[in-house]
């Protein structure tokens, strides 16, 4: 495996992904972003709290995300 660094010019996000190929790295990134988007939708539906992209991007763990949601309640 190699470490791929993917830069998102739209959000200025930098992602470090370990994968066997660049295509696999982009697939992993797409999966992670999809999961983050679904988590944001669930929080919006269940708690009527809108998470911003930076809220999700700055959360390194589920606990970080939980604390962000809790602080907005």
């Amino acid at each position: 495996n190699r470490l791929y660094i993917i830069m998102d010019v739209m959000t200025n996000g930098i992602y470090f992904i370990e994968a066997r190929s660049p295509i696999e790295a982009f697939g992993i990134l797409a999966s992670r972003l999809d999961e983050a988007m679904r988590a944001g939708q669930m929080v919006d539906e269940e708690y009527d709290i809108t998470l911003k992209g930076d809220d999700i991007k700055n959360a390194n763990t589920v606990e970080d995300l939980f604390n962000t949601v809790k602080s907005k309640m």
Side-chain angles (χ1 to χ4, degrees):
N1 283 357
R2 292 183 174 176
L3 181 64
Y4 291 91
I5 302 170
I6 301 172
M7 297 173 60
D8 183 343
V9 295
M10 298 293 286
T11 64
N12 293 324
I14 298 175
Y15 304 93
F16 298 91
I17 299 177
E18 189 174 335
R20 290 177 291 233
S21 70
I23 293 173
E24 182 183 38
F26 279 108
I28 291 169
L29 176 61
S31 176
R32 288 182 186 171
L33 294 176
D34 184 55
E35 289 173 13
M37 190 167 51
R38 279 189 271 130
Q41 289 171 342
M42 188 267 316
V43 168
D44 187 33
E45 291 171 7
E46 294 290 322
Y47 302 102
D48 198 30
I49 294 172
T50 301
L51 293 175
K52 296 182 180 181
D54 283 343
D55 294 331
I56 295 171
K57 186 171 83 171
N58 294 331
N60 294 316
T61 65
V62 173
E63 183 179 7
D64 291 343
L65 194 56
F66 172 79
N67 289 332
T68 299
V69 171
K70 195 165 121 179
S71 73
K72 293 181 179 237
M73 294 179 98

